[in-house]
């Protein structure tokens, strides 16, 4: 059977564990022109054909035209099918940083009908293993020179454990591990796009898997579908007015929902140019702004904005090309917004969004009140928002804080293979309960939203999410620990960091931040999730319903930090 025409189901279950949009709703989205009936790779290829000679991508290693980028992606697609056991319909894990090979591999997978799972290069072996098994992914694409060069060793373990079968190695030797990126391109050199399997994809199918939750318990994976995912990116580019010639600078990890849906895809779908920063190092960013003159930075976490403000070159650097400086991923303090305006002449726009879909953004000509105090309005006219009493289906009173619940043409209707969880995570009529607290505001007759906290047990560390239950479960494996709770502690730059409250086994010596961190790394946890402070208690405080009171623990750590810095908590 030819791999170009045959497909393989990810799982035995007929609908891939996918919760679909109701048929009538799909029809409405198509009638309204939000969904096109085309697949994401088909839309990307037609943009590539329309803009062949324009610059598509600039990385630390060079510049790519649309023609060159998509030629490489086609070669990658054909080579991947030719040289591995992967079939159209399969999923592959990614552990790649901000390099051109990542973009080529991502596009190549789409053209091969293979579904990228947007895992991070920072993920440990256990995390990749859990997620790969949940999705049914047997392939892994890795960047050998990422970080300390640890990823090939991780891949060896994953292969030895039987989790991963096929490994593609970019930027390093593939000897004894799998096939090299260069070998794939060479193997696919003669293939033309009209024989690639993307042509047989159904636009209603899953195109990409994005991550949401942690990796203990049931993984929460957002299955993004061709039509809604390309609409997400088109709507973003349209709202921001991107066109051929627009230069977009992306400073965060590209293989993440925001990177893909707000950086890579909208740039390519609109014929614009993506400048991929190798890291979020602030000196590199200032250099890139001065050398490439971007009009847009689609996602600046508040932590990065603060680093920019504190950088010695920020006031002398020429940042004037940047018209849309979009801050998001975390609550933005008004003080930072005011300093950006007064010290650097930057009028921010805010953005709120998530791997599950829904984005809100400050409209272009919003008043300062809207700009500073809200995250704006939804991206699509078809987005629907309800502010509900948490866990219920009733709306809060006008102007009150409640749980932000969302539905629309690019918000998922269910997590992948998580039937039972979906019953609670979505309302009966398909609104996603975000776990964020929000409030509706009216300014000049228009409606905007602010984010006023969260109910989900997540720590937002400079936009990297740490799911408390995942880390707690691993801490509990430590022989000296009898109980543990992880809470957010405030941090001036990152917004939040993780603090572990521990109850020890009788007579045990308290672990230090270092020794606990070493233990958690040995359990395969990503480094960014490690607790940055350890507190030992004789017992964890309980709420009046007998659950661990994280509220008391958060107040405790805020008080301690306040005392240590000489300010009241
Ligand atoms: P992710 O799926 O990793 O993009 O994380 C989405 C979550 O990040 C949201 O549900 C919020 O909890 C948080 N988040 C994103 N943007 C903002 C923002 N502008 N303000 C506050 N929290 C945010």
């Amino acid at each position: 059977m030819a791999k170009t025409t045959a497909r393989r189901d990810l799982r035995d279950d007929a609908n891939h564990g996918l919760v679909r949009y109701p048929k009538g709703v799909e029809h409405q989205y198509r009638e309204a022109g939000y969904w096109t009936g085309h697949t994401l790779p088909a839309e990307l290829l037609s943009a590539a054909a329309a803009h062949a000679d324009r610059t598509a991508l600039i990385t630390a290693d060079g510049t790519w035209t649309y023609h060159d980028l998509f030629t490489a992606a086609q070669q990658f697609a054909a080579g991947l099918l030719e040289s591995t056991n992967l079939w159209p319909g399969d999923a592959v894990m990614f552990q790649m940083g901000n390099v051109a090979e990542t973009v080529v591999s991502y596009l190549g997978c789409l053209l091969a009908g293979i579904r990228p799972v947007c895992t991070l290069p920072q993920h440990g072996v256990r995390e990749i293993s859990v997620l790969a098994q949940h999705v049914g992914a047997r392939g892994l694409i890795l960047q050998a020179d990422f970080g300390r060069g640890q990823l090939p060793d991780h891949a060896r373990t994953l292969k030895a454990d039987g989790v991963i079968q096929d490994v593609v190695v970019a930027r390093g030797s593939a000897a004894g591990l799998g096939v090299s990126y260069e070998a794939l391109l060479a193997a696919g050199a003669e293939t033309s796009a009209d024989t690639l399997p993307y042509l047989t994809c159904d636009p209603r199918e899953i195109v990409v898997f994005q991550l949401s939750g942690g990796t203990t318990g049931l993984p929460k994976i957002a299955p993004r579908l061709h039509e809604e995912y390309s609409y997400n990116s088109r709507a973003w580019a349209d709202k921001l007015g991107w066109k051929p010639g627009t230069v977009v600078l992306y400073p965060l990890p590209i293989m993440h929902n925001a990177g893909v849906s707000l950086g890579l895809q909208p740039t390519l779908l609109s014929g614009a140019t993506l400048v991929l920063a190798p890291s979020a190092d602030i000196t590199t960013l200032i250099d890139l702004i001065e050398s490439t003159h971007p009009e847009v930075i689609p996602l600046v976490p508040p932590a990065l904005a603060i680093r920019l403000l504190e950088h010695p070159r920020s006031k002398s650097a020429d940042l004037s090309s940047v018209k849309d400086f979009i801050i998001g991923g975390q609550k933005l303090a008004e003080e930072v917004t005011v300093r950006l305006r007064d010290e650097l002449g930057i009028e921010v726009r805010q953005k709120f969004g998530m791997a599950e879909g829904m984005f809100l953004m400050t409209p272009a000509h919003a008043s300062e009140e809207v700009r500073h105090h809200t995250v704006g309005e939804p991206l699509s006219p078809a987005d629907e928002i309800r502010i509900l009493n948490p866990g219920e289906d009733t709306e809060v009173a006008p102007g009150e804080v409640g749980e932000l619940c969302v539905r629309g043409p690019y918000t998922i209707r269910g997590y992948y293979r998580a039937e039972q969880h979906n019953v609670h995570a979505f309302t009966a009529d398909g609104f996603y309960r975000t776990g964020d607290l929000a409030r509706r505001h009216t300014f000049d007759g228009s409606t905007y939203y602010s984010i006023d906290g969260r109910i989900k047990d997540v720590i937002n560390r400079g936009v990297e999410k740490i799911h408390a239950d995942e880390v707690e479960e691993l801490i509990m494996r430590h022989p000296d620990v009898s109980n543990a709770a992880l809470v957010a502690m405030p941090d001036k730059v990152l917004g939040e960091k993780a603090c572990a409250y521990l109850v020890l086994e009788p007579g045990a010596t308290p672990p230090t931040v270092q020794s606990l961190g070493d233990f958690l790394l040995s359990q395969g946890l990503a480094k960014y999730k490690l607790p940055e402070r350890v507190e030992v208690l004789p017992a964890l405080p309980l709420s009046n319903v007998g659950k661990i009171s994280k509220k008391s623990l958060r107040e405790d750590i805020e008080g301690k930090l306040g005392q240590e810095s000489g300010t009241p908590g």
Side-chain angles (χ1 to χ4, degrees):
M1 204 164 22
K3 280 187 179 179
T4 47
T5 50
R7 307 181 58 72
R8 187 154 73 178
D9 280 349
L10 279 172
R11 289 273 173 179
D12 296 337
D13 43 353
N15 69 353
H16 314 304
L18 175 64
V19 185
R20 290 194 178 279
Y21 292 75
K23 281 216 158 45
V25 172
E26 290 185 349
H27 181 70
Q28 276 169 25
Y29 292 154
R30 279 191 208 106
E31 285 284 289
Y34 305 130
W35 291 9
T36 60
H38 299 299
T39 64
L40 174 61
E43 290 197 27
L44 287 164
L45 270 188
S46 72
H51 305 289
D53 296 330
R54 292 185 184 279
T55 301
L57 179 67
I58 300 175
T59 71
D61 297 325
T63 293
W64 300 68
T65 63
Y66 275 80
H67 175 266
D68 293 347
L69 184 63
F70 279 83
T71 303
Q74 283 166 37
Q75 292 172 350
F76 184 94
L80 190 62
L81 297 172
E82 171 87 25
S83 316
T84 69
N85 298 307
L86 295 167
W87 281 68
D90 281 346
V92 292
M93 313 301 283
F94 266 71
Q95 292 209 274
M96 300 283 290
N98 281 12
V99 291
E101 290 87 341
T102 307
V103 176
V104 171
S105 310
Y106 178 82
L107 297 173
C109 283
L110 300 189
L111 294 174
I114 288 178
R115 294 147 171 153
V117 184
C118 292
T119 35
L120 298 170
Q122 288 85 356
H123 281 134
V125 169
R126 192 192 55 81
E127 290 155 319
I128 293 292
S129 178
V130 168
L131 296 165
Q133 290 179 60
H134 186 79
V135 172
R138 310 301 303 271
L140 168 67
I141 303 176
L142 67 85
Q143 179 185 334
D145 65 353
F146 186 87
R148 291 172 286 102
Q150 70 279 20
L151 294 178
D153 278 344
H154 289 187
R156 264 180 213 104
T157 309
L158 289 161
K159 268 188 102 169
D161 292 347
V163 176
I164 293 295
Q165 273 179 350
D166 286 285
V167 180
V168 178
V169 181
R171 300 169 77 96
S173 163
L177 187 56
V179 54
S180 76
Y181 172 87
E182 290 76 18
L184 285 195
L185 294 195
E190 301 306 324
T191 309
S192 97
D194 26 304
T195 58
L196 289 174
Y198 79 93
L199 289 164
T200 61
C201 291
D202 179 336
R204 292 168 309 157
E205 283 180 353
I206 300 168
V207 62
V208 173
F209 290 100
Q210 289 294 353
L211 306 190
S212 181
T215 50
T216 53
L218 185 75
K220 290 181 204 74
I221 294 185
R224 305 303 302 261
L225 316 185
H226 284 270
E227 277 175 293
E228 59 88 6
Y229 211 31
S230 63
Y231 172 58
N232 188 164
S233 294
R234 268 187 288 112
W236 175 256
D238 289 350
K239 190 97 172 171
L240 287 161
W242 295 2
K243 53 186 185 309
T246 303
V247 178
V248 178
L249 171 62
Y250 199 78
L252 297 187
I254 195 74
M255 282 306 280
H256 180 275
N257 181 56
V260 168
S261 66
L262 308 184
L264 178 61
Q265 290 176 175
T267 305
L268 298 180
L269 289 167
S270 51
T273 300
L274 179 68
V275 180
L276 195 52
S279 75
D281 166 65
I282 205 76
T283 310
T284 313
L285 285 186
I286 294 176
D287 288 345
L288 278 173
I289 295 173
E290 288 194 315
S291 62
T292 64
H293 311 294
E295 280 165 46
V296 192
I297 310 183
L299 180 52
V300 182
L304 200 58
I306 295 170
R307 287 201 190 109
L308 177 65
L309 280 164
E310 319 263 279
H311 194 278
R313 271 175 61 202
S314 65
K315 293 196 182 64
S316 59
D318 179 8
L319 310 176
S320 59
S321 68
V322 186
K323 304 279 178 291
D324 283 319
F325 189 95
I326 304 168
I327 299 210
Q330 245 183 340
K331 183 95 181 155
L332 175 62
E334 184 169 15
E335 181 205 336
V336 177
T337 323
V338 168
R339 282 189 64 196
L340 284 165
R341 181 195 63 197
D342 295 348
E343 295 174 29
L344 305 182
I346 292 173
E347 292 287 2
V348 302
R349 291 174 83 170
Q350 297 203 39
K351 184 231 87 174
F352 166 90
M354 60 198 72
E356 289 80 359
M358 178 63 87
F359 284 109
L360 291 104
M361 186 178 32
T362 313
H365 303 292
S367 67
E368 195 157 284
E369 204 167 17
V370 170
R371 208 174 275 276
H372 289 201
H373 299 293
T374 78
V375 292
E377 61 185 16
L379 199 54
S380 168
D383 282 327
E384 299 168 83
I385 292 188
R386 285 188 193 154
I387 311 280
L388 299 183
N389 288 300
E392 296 178 17
D393 287 340
T394 49
E395 289 259 359
V396 297
E400 293 291 306
V401 172
E403 184 174 10
L404 178 74
C405 297
V406 297
R407 184 170 81 169
Y410 60 94
T411 297
I412 62 166
R413 291 297 182 119
Y415 289 108
Y416 185 64
R417 305 191 75 233
E419 229 163 83
Q420 301 218 325
H421 177 72
N422 286 338
V423 172
H424 306 289
F426 293 80
T427 64
D429 54 355
F431 279 76
Y432 168 55
R433 300 183 195 269
T434 64
D436 293 301
L437 292 172
R439 192 197 302 248
R440 218 178 242 122
H441 304 262
T442 308
F443 293 110
D444 298 330
S446 299
T447 304
Y448 304 95
Y449 296 84
S450 62
I451 303 299
D452 295 85
R454 76 181 86 98
I455 28 186
K456 56 191 170 192
D457 200 1
V458 171
I459 295 152
N460 193 340
R461 181 187 187 276
V463 315
E464 284 172 321
K465 311 299 174 317
I466 305 170
H467 294 264
D469 57 348
E470 174 178 37
V471 183
E472 287 161 1
E473 193 178 316
L474 294 179
I475 295 179
M476 294 290 286
R477 294 185 191 172
H478 193 292
D480 292 336
V481 175
S482 74
N483 207 356
L486 198 77
V487 293
M489 58 178 173
D491 180 78
K492 194 166 168 283
V493 175
L494 291 172
E496 298 173 10
K497 285 182 175 174
C499 171
Y501 277 88
L502 307 180
V503 179
L504 300 183
E505 291 292 345
T509 315
T512 59
V513 168
Q514 177 72 43
S515 70
L516 183 64
D518 289 344
F519 172 78
L520 292 172
L521 288 176
S522 77
Q523 301 293 308
L525 193 72
K527 203 168 162 199
Y528 70 86
K529 300 179 188 171
L530 299 183
E532 290 172 79
R533 179 162 174 148
V534 172
E535 293 288 325
V536 174
L537 291 178
L540 296 178
L542 298 180
S543 67
N544 49 15
V545 289
K547 285 169 80 175
I548 294 171
S549 171
K550 294 218 164 167
K551 187 165 173 281
S552 313
L553 294 174
R554 279 194 298 271
E555 285 166 3
D556 183 68
I557 192 63
E558 276 169 30
K560 286 196 168 92
L561 290 170
Q563 275 171 7
E564 288 162 16
S565 70
T567 52

